[in-house]
């Protein structure tokens, strides 16, 4: 085994590789940019080397700097993680020439499979089912429109060198091709340094299923079953699970054997993933691409197979033969992973940048009837930078079956608390609880189908409403009793106030609470039967956790200037707790009118203005593109929300903008 390796990556994947190396006794070196100085990965590694400014193009993508760090530290091999140089065949070839180990597949496999055009041709030759499309290069938008018409709408416009959800658009008509084709080329150039684009048929009601393969340098190759990755937004995976609710043993075997056949066709000798689009109607499947690296979602495969994929990559790269045979690969239970992103689901999932004032993930280990694993590269106090992917952490849960894994996931999300930036946890929690998702009847259009107007939170169920009312009553009664005792207004033997009104959203709920001395309370809501609550909550804690009517619960809590903010799954409600007299007065207060921003184009996120699509005096129609703002490597088209005439333009291409900055004004 290697004695020392260098990790040419950052964040959670660098931390993930370090954990396995520690277990195997392999020393680690990480490289880091200015933005990652003092990061968790730097802290955990045995050695670290600074490689330049924050932009990846000046640090993590500079081959000379990575190789210099290898020479400086005496590392024997490089693990590239995912992204950056992980699928760069020129880099793999260079390392081979310079006699530096490469913990990844051979350069030929990367080259053949990394190009989506050539990979489809090779897949067809290997007997793998492929999607209809135009495999040749496309020079301009006019040609893209013609090709799209020939294939038949809808089509997918895709960067040939793409990955990670970048450089992809789905177009349903000529206009969307005219907008999407140049955008994909621009994203491809910025993210991968390669602006080649191809177009293929977009299959309606598709499911995204991928097969994990593992090969060695001795011609052996196995598949480690499948992952379902259909829950996507903007082609970026959000929730993944293993196995898939769709596949039966026969289909799984066919997909696995095709994946292995393709891997063997290129002498694949590492961990890799063959991705398919599958039909939920007839279980037909078609090759999409092969990712010649470790996937972000690899933990769900590890959880159901018991195989450490990072360890296997290290052993294979060192020249060891696979000890695993296909008959050794089993499916043990079910695993679910969600990607916790720095984005605001209530504002169309726009990126959120800033410092993690609080970062309290759920504890790893047993939770309810499942098990929790967390893969993350951040800690409380770290900053989420605009320079890299917005993923904060990956939450993984495992259970004996799908329901058990999902139940554990929901409970873990209840206990995942972040402050300082916005996060997508409420959205993930809403999906995990949603009826259609729980049924397993999902497609890659799931989010668009179930949340067509975006995410606005979910209405509380009766159980959630009771949970939030009881939590609010307990917290307020606790504060009130403590204030009375501190001020001396309440004699030691006197009883605290029992009758309150909890205003939850716009509903008033009379409650009566008998507060015990050790975290117990009996709470009557709306004159009904008493609920029994037991909790260890103390002031300053962000989680009200305990048992309500014999069932465990956890509710996120924040003390605001006026009232409290409670969150549970996709529900977020402000709770005011008042005396009956004050509650009656509150009901008579007029609502504050909202400011009219319909004639303003406001930057929804911090970012860089890529282009301004309108001019002074121009008539603009609702839905028309006004400008493009780039943040976290994604180009976001900002559209007019109403018809109007451009009265003022406050920014230009190349300007940096802050969130909520006014960019354009309409007359």
């Amino acid at each position: 085994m290697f004695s020392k390796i260098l990790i040419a990556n950052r964040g959670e994947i660098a931390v993930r590789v370090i954990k396995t190396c520690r277990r195997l006794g392999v020393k680690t070196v990480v490289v880091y940019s200015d933005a990652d100085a003092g990061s968790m990965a730097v802290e955990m590694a045995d050695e670290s080397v600074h490689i330049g400014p924050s932009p990846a193009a000046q640090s993590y993508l500079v081959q000379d700097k990575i190789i210099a760090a290898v020479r400086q530290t005496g590392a024997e091999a490089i693990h590239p993680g995912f992204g950056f140089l992980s699928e760069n065949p020129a880099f793999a070839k260079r390392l081979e020439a310079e006699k530096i180990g490469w913990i990844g597949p051979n350069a030929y496999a990367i080259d053949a499979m990394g190009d989506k055009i050539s990979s489809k041709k090779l897949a067809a030759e290997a007997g793998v089912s492929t999607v209809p499309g135009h495999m040749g290069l496309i020079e301009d938008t006019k040609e893209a429109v013609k090709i799209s018409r020939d294939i038949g709408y809808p089509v997918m416009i895709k960067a040939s060198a793409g990955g990670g959800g970048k450089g992809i658009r789905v177009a349903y008509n000529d206009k969307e091709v005219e907008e999407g084709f140049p955008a994909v080329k621009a994203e491809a150039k910025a993210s991968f340094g390669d602006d080649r684009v191809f177009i293929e048929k977009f299959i309606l009601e598709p499911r995204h299923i991928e097969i994990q393969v593992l090969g060695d340098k001795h011609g052996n190759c196995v598949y480690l079953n499948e992952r379902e990755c259909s829950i996507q937004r903007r082609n970026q995976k959000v929730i993944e699970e293993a196995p898939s609710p769709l596949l039966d043993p026969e289909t799984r075997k066919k997909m696995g054997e095709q994946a292995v056949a393709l891997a063997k066709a290129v002498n694949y000798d590492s961990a890799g993933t063959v991705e398919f689009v599958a039909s939920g109607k007839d279980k037909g499947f078609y090759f999409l691409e092969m990712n010649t690296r470790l996937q972000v979602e690899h933990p769900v495969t590890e959880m159901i197979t018991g195989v450490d994929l990072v360890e296997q990559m290290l052993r294979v790269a060192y020249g060891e033969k696979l000890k695993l045979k296909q008959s050794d690969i089993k499916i043990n239970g079910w695993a679910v992973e969600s990607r916790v992103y720095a984005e605001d689901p209530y504002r169309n999932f726009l990126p959120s940048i800033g410092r993690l004032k609080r970062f309290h993930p759920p504890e790893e280990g047993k939770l309810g009837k499942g098990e929790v694993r967390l893969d993350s590269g951040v800690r409380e106090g770290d900053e989420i930078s605009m320079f890299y992917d917005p993923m904060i952490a990956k939450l993984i849960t495992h259970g004996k079956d799908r329901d058990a894994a999902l139940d554990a996931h929901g409970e873990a999300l209840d206990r995942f608390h972040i402050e300082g930036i916005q996060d997508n946890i409420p959205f993930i929690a809403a999906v995990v609880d949603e009826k259609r998702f729980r049924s397993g009847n999902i497609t890659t259009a799931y989010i668009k189908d179930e949340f067509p107007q975006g995410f606005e939170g979910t209405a509380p169920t009766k159980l959630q409403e009771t949970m939030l009312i009881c939590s609010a009553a307990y917290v307020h009664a606790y504060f009130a009793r403590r204030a009375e005792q501190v001020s001396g207004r309440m004699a030691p033997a006197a009883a605290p106030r029992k009758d309150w009104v909890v205003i939850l959203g716009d509903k008033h709920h009379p409650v009566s609470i008998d507060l015990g001395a050790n975290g117990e309370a009996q709470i009557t809501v709306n004159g009904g039967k008493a609920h029994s609550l037991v909790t260890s909550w103390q002031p300053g804690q962000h989680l009200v956790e305990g048992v309500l009517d014999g069932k465990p619960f956890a509710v996120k809590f924040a003390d605001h200037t006026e009232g409290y903010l409670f969150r549970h799954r996709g529900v977020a409600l402000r709770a005011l707790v008042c005396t009956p007299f004050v509650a009656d007065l509150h009901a008579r207060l007029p609502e504050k009118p909202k400011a009219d921003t319909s004639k303003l184009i406001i930057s929804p996120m911090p970012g860089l203005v890529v282009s301004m699509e309108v001019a002074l005096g121009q008539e603009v129609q609702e839905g028309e593109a006004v400008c493009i703002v780039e943040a976290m490597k994604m180009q976001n088209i900002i559209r007019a929300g109403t018809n109007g005439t451009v009265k003022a333009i406050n920014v230009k291409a190349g300007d940096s903008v802050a969130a909520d900055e006014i960019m354009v004004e309409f007359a």
Side-chain angles (χ1 to χ4, degrees):
M1 178 53 68
F2 299 111
S3 60
K4 182 193 288 189
I5 69 163
L6 182 141
I7 303 165
N9 217 299
R10 61 175 301 279
E12 67 90 10
I13 186 56
V15 170
R16 165 72 189 88
V17 175
I18 290 170
K19 287 179 178 178
T20 288
C21 287
R22 281 184 171 181
R23 182 171 60 80
L24 297 175
V26 178
K27 292 190 176 299
T28 53
V29 180
V30 294
V31 292
Y32 66 94
S33 70
D34 290 347
D36 289 328
S39 67
M40 182 187 288
V42 169
E43 180 182 285
M44 289 180 64
D46 296 293
E47 299 175 59
S48 59
V49 179
H50 178 250
I51 53 169
S54 301
Q58 300 175 46
S59 50
Y60 295 105
L61 288 171
V62 183
Q63 298 182 23
D64 288 344
K65 292 182 177 181
I66 304 295
I67 290 173
V70 170
R71 301 300 186 203
Q72 176 183 330
T73 59
E76 299 163 79
I78 290 176
H79 194 301
F82 40 70
F84 298 141
L85 295 169
S86 64
E87 293 180 283
N88 187 314
F91 186 52
K93 289 176 185 175
R94 182 174 174 185
L95 295 183
E96 183 179 2
E98 300 201 23
K99 300 191 184 311
I100 298 171
W102 171 245
I103 305 170
N106 63 81
Y108 169 72
I110 299 174
D111 200 13
M113 292 292 101
D115 186 295
K116 292 180 175 58
I117 294 172
S118 65
S119 68
K120 289 186 186 301
K121 294 177 181 177
L122 278 166
E125 291 170 3
V128 180
S129 302
T130 57
V131 180
H134 182 85
M135 295 298 102
L137 298 180
I138 303 164
E139 295 300 328
D140 54 33
T141 302
K142 184 177 179 180
E143 186 185 359
V145 169
K146 181 181 182 301
I147 289 168
S148 299
R149 288 175 179 172
D150 291 342
I151 294 171
Y153 291 108
V155 298
M156 180 176 285
I157 308 165
K158 204 167 185 179
S160 181
K166 307 295 190 300
I168 299 175
R169 292 286 192 282
V170 176
Y172 289 83
N173 52 52
D174 291 356
K175 184 178 179 182
E176 291 183 2
V177 174
E178 290 167 355
E179 282 188 356
F181 182 76
V184 170
K185 284 182 74 71
E187 285 184 6
K189 184 69 173 176
S191 296
F192 314 112
D194 183 344
D195 68 354
R196 293 177 300 158
V197 170
F198 71 99
I199 298 176
E200 67 184 10
K201 180 72 175 176
F202 181 68
I203 297 173
L204 295 172
E205 299 184 14
R207 296 179 73 138
H208 187 125
I209 297 177
E210 57 191 35
I211 302 290
Q212 176 72 56
V213 296
L214 185 62
D216 64 19
K217 300 182 185 300
H218 306 278
N220 302 303
C221 187
V222 296
Y223 64 91
L224 288 84
N225 302 310
E226 81 282 0
R227 298 184 285 258
E228 171 107 27
C229 308
S230 296
I231 306 302
Q232 305 178 4
R233 192 190 62 78
R234 293 183 67 176
N235 300 297
Q236 182 78 51
K237 298 165 189 172
V238 179
I239 297 175
E240 302 102 348
E241 57 185 304
S244 164
L246 175 68
L247 298 195
D248 53 37
E250 182 182 0
T251 308
R252 176 177 298 117
K253 185 172 185 289
K254 288 180 181 177
M255 293 180 78
E257 288 175 349
Q258 285 196 17
V260 168
L262 179 59
K264 286 189 172 182
V266 291
N267 298 318
Y268 202 83
D269 53 351
S270 186
T273 300
V274 181
E275 301 196 353
F276 294 92
V277 58
S279 168
K281 293 182 179 179
D282 60 11
K283 298 182 184 177
F285 56 89
Y286 307 92
F287 172 74
L288 278 176
E289 62 182 343
M290 183 174 189
N291 289 301
T292 55
R293 54 172 167 80
L294 193 65
Q295 289 280 87
V296 175
E297 58 273 20
H298 75 274
V300 292
T301 295
E302 295 183 327
M303 297 294 273
I304 67 164
T305 62
V307 177
D308 184 328
L309 289 169
V310 173
E311 176 183 348
Q312 293 302 317
M313 292 180 75
L314 289 166
R315 293 191 180 282
V316 165
Y318 194 67
E320 294 183 20
K321 286 185 178 181
L322 277 180
K323 294 182 180 178
L324 292 168
K325 294 181 173 59
Q326 195 60 57
S327 58
D328 298 328
I329 310 300
K330 309 297 183 184
I331 297 178
N332 173 29
W334 212 283
V336 177
E337 173 181 300
S338 61
R339 303 187 187 191
V340 179
Y341 284 120
E343 60 187 15
D344 189 345
Y346 299 97
R347 299 180 69 181
N348 199 27
F349 300 92
L350 293 168
S352 180
I353 298 167
R355 193 166 297 282
L356 291 166
K357 294 179 181 177
R358 289 186 186 272
F359 181 71
H360 295 170
E363 291 185 9
E364 292 189 293
K366 293 291 182 182
L367 178 62
K369 295 181 180 179
E371 183 180 355
V372 175
R373 166 177 166 179
L374 186 84
D375 283 17
S376 180
V378 298
R379 304 149 299 185
E380 189 166 284
D382 285 349
E383 186 167 355
I384 303 301
S385 166
M386 67 178 287
F387 296 103
Y388 312 115
D389 187 271
M391 190 167 65
I392 303 169
K394 300 183 308 198
L395 177 66
I396 308 102
T397 54
H398 180 266
K400 67 176 183 178
D401 53 30
R402 189 169 188 263
D403 282 341
L406 288 173
D407 288 345
H409 212 84
E411 293 179 52
L413 290 167
D414 291 341
R415 293 160 176 78
F416 205 139
H417 181 67
I418 297 172
E419 288 182 21
I421 59 170
Q422 300 301 315
D423 61 72
N424 66 337
I425 290 174
F427 174 70
I428 297 169
V431 172
V432 167
D433 272 355
E434 197 272 328
K435 183 178 179 181
R436 178 183 162 195
F437 175 76
R438 293 295 293 234
S439 76
N441 179 26
I442 54 178
T443 72
T444 54
Y446 169 85
I447 290 177
K448 185 178 180 181
D449 290 345
E450 299 301 323
F451 303 90
Q453 305 302 318
F455 181 70
E456 298 175 353
T458 58
T461 63
K462 191 66 180 175
L463 178 61
Q464 286 176 313
E465 193 173 73
T466 299
M467 190 187 305
L468 298 180
I469 292 168
C470 290
S471 297
Y474 180 88
V475 166
H476 193 79
Y478 188 106
F479 279 139
R481 182 176 67 182
R482 189 177 69 164
E484 291 285 347
Q485 290 172 342
V486 169
S487 67
R489 291 196 299 269
M490 187 174 78
R497 184 182 188 96
K498 292 185 177 182
D499 296 328
W500 300 93
V501 175
V502 177
I503 304 174
L504 199 63
D506 58 357
K507 295 181 181 179
H508 288 225
H509 302 277
V511 302
S512 177
I513 178 168
D514 285 311
L515 197 63
N518 299 305
E520 311 97 8
Q522 295 293 312
I523 306 169
T524 300
V525 180
N526 297 324
K529 68 174 184 178
H531 297 281
S532 173
L533 184 147
V534 181
T535 178
S536 59
W537 177 84
Q538 294 288 320
Q541 293 179 345
H542 64 269
L543 199 67
V544 181
E545 185 174 8
V547 177
L548 180 64
D549 295 334
K551 296 181 179 179
F553 79 99
V555 174
K556 295 171 189 175
F557 160 78
D559 190 356
H560 282 202
T561 304
E562 185 181 15
Y564 314 109
L565 179 66
F566 285 95
R567 293 182 182 273
H568 184 263
R569 306 293 165 93
V571 176
L573 286 175
R574 189 183 67 161
L576 287 172
V577 186
C578 318
T579 64
F581 176 73
V582 172
D584 183 59
L585 293 177
H586 190 275
R588 305 181 190 204
L589 293 173
E591 287 190 21
K592 183 179 179 180
K594 294 182 179 179
D596 182 13
T597 60
S598 61
K599 293 186 179 297
L600 303 176
I601 299 295
I602 299 172
S603 177
M605 77 211 89
L608 182 73
V609 178
V610 176
S611 65
M612 183 60 62
E613 305 296 318
V614 298
L616 285 173
Q618 181 177 333
E619 294 285 338
V620 178
Q621 302 299 310
E622 180 181 354
E624 190 174 339
V626 175
C627 61
I628 298 175
V629 176
E630 183 179 288
M632 290 181 168
K633 302 189 288 184
M634 292 294 287
Q635 293 198 354
N636 302 274
I637 300 174
I638 312 300
R639 301 181 184 276
T642 185
N643 298 342
T645 303
V646 178
K647 181 177 76 172
I649 299 176
N650 303 323
V651 296
K652 63 183 183 302
D655 287 352
S656 294
V657 289
D660 299 323
E661 182 174 338
I662 298 173
M663 299 186 293
V664 178
E665 301 174 48
F666 292 160

